[in-house]
Amino acid sequence: AQSVTQLGSHVSVSEGALVLLRCNYSSSVPPYLFWYVQYPNQGLQLLLKYTSAATLVKGINGFEAEFKKSETSFHLTKPSAHMSDAAEYFCAVSLNYGGSQGNLIFGKGTKLSVKP
Amino acid sequence: DGGITQSPKYLFRKEGQNVTLSCEQNLNHDAMYWYRQDPGQGLRLIYYSQIVNDFQKGDIAEGYSVSREKKESFPLTVTSAQKNPTAFYLCASSITVQGGNQPQHFGDGTRLSIL
């Protein structure tokens, strides 16, 4: 069965510091992976996706993620945090086989706080 | 602009009452989804539909019902059988489920509370 684990329910960084949000997945087949961002009382917005092309994926707002098969990881990074990055971030893996193809399995989310 | 519209944004339910959450998309997407979000729980799938006139139960379908009579509409009814309906409900859609590599696009959610 496919699953996603996000390490750290809360992460706090200073403005200008590196952002690192961790995501590990479990999948018996090559996965498709996604990062989403959610601002308070809003829906989820796609940041980036990995679909078996380049292992380093660039997304919106300066975020990127690297797919590492050996570590079953898909960590999200941003070199320099901005106050506007404060939000909740979700990692998700897509079911890519069977009758539930296309369904997403979400991690429990990581809330990012940015200190001035 | 294309997108997903959920209404209402806030909804209150009395004990024993059924309520219906609206979800409309003008993206011409085949697949639509309903999720429930509780603090610290991530998103949990309630129902999904891969095509018009067909839908499947997700992980937490008990106490909920859906219909998919039109491609652009996927309303969710929270029935009185759902004993803990207070949550944030998100609707999503994707172009197709083929291949599993298409991202889902989300509406802005409906927050349901018990009176």
Side-chain angles (χ1 to χ4, degrees):
Chain A
Q2 290 169 290
S3 65
V4 171
T5 302
Q6 290 184 241
L7 293 175
S9 58
H10 288 87
V11 170
S12 182
V13 300
S14 298
E15 192 173 19
L18 172 71
V19 175
L20 170 61
L21 304 181
R22 300 177 187 275
C23 173
N24 288 89
Y25 69 90
S26 171
S27 177
S28 58
V29 297
Y32 299 128
L33 295 157
F34 304 84
W35 274 101
Y36 286 87
V37 60
Q38 184 181 34
Y39 298 99
N41 293 312
Q42 292 187 21
L44 275 66
Q45 180 183 2
L46 180 69
L47 275 177
L48 50 80
K49 65 177 183 179
Y50 168 76
T51 56
S52 74
T55 55
L56 182 62
V57 182
K58 294 189 183 299
I60 62 171
N61 301 340
F63 284 93
E64 63 183 34
E66 186 172 10
F67 173 73
K68 291 187 176 181
K69 184 178 179 180
S70 61
E71 298 176 11
T72 61
S73 69
F74 190 56
H75 301 332
L76 182 70
T77 60
K78 182 173 180 177
S80 176
H82 192 272
M83 296 297 291
S84 61
D85 295 326
E88 190 159 19
Y89 293 80
F90 292 93
C91 181
V93 62
S94 174
L95 297 176
N96 53 10
Y97 62 93
S100 302
Q101 192 174 81
N103 288 5
L104 294 179
I105 306 296
F106 285 88
K108 293 188 184 299
T110 298
K111 275 192 181 169
L112 176 66
S113 300
V114 182
K115 298 175 290 186
Chain B
D1 285 338
I4 300 176
T5 302
Q6 290 188 242
S7 62
K9 191 163 181 64
Y10 298 95
L11 187 58
F12 299 91
R13 195 190 90 168
K14 295 180 182 179
E15 294 289 338
Q17 187 180 44
N18 293 355
V19 291
T20 298
L21 284 60
S22 171
C23 178
E24 303 277 332
Q25 55 100 358
N26 60 3
L27 299 167
N28 200 32
H29 285 177
D30 284 327
M32 296 187 75
Y33 310 83
W34 273 106
Y35 293 93
R36 171 181 171 138
Q37 185 177 21
D38 297 282
Q41 296 289 322
L43 277 70
R44 293 181 290 171
L45 183 65
I46 305 172
Y47 268 97
Y48 64 101
S49 168
Q50 297 181 352
I51 197 169
V52 175
N53 292 322
D54 186 50
F55 49 83
Q56 305 295 331
K57 291 182 179 180
D59 300 318
I60 56 165
E62 186 175 349
Y64 300 97
S65 66
V66 293
S67 63
R68 186 86 188 276
E69 297 176 2
K70 299 186 295 183
K71 187 175 185 178
E72 59 270 23
S73 179
F74 192 41
L76 173 74
T77 296
V78 184
T79 74
S80 58
Q82 173 49 243
K83 297 307 178 188
N84 184 23
T86 297
F88 191 51
Y89 290 87
L90 287 162
C91 179
S93 70
S94 64
I95 291 175
T96 176
V97 299
Q98 295 302 319
N101 60 351
Q102 297 298 325
Q104 292 181 15
H105 300 259
F106 286 80
D108 279 339
T110 292
R111 189 167 297 281
L112 176 62
S113 302
I114 296 297
L115 283 179

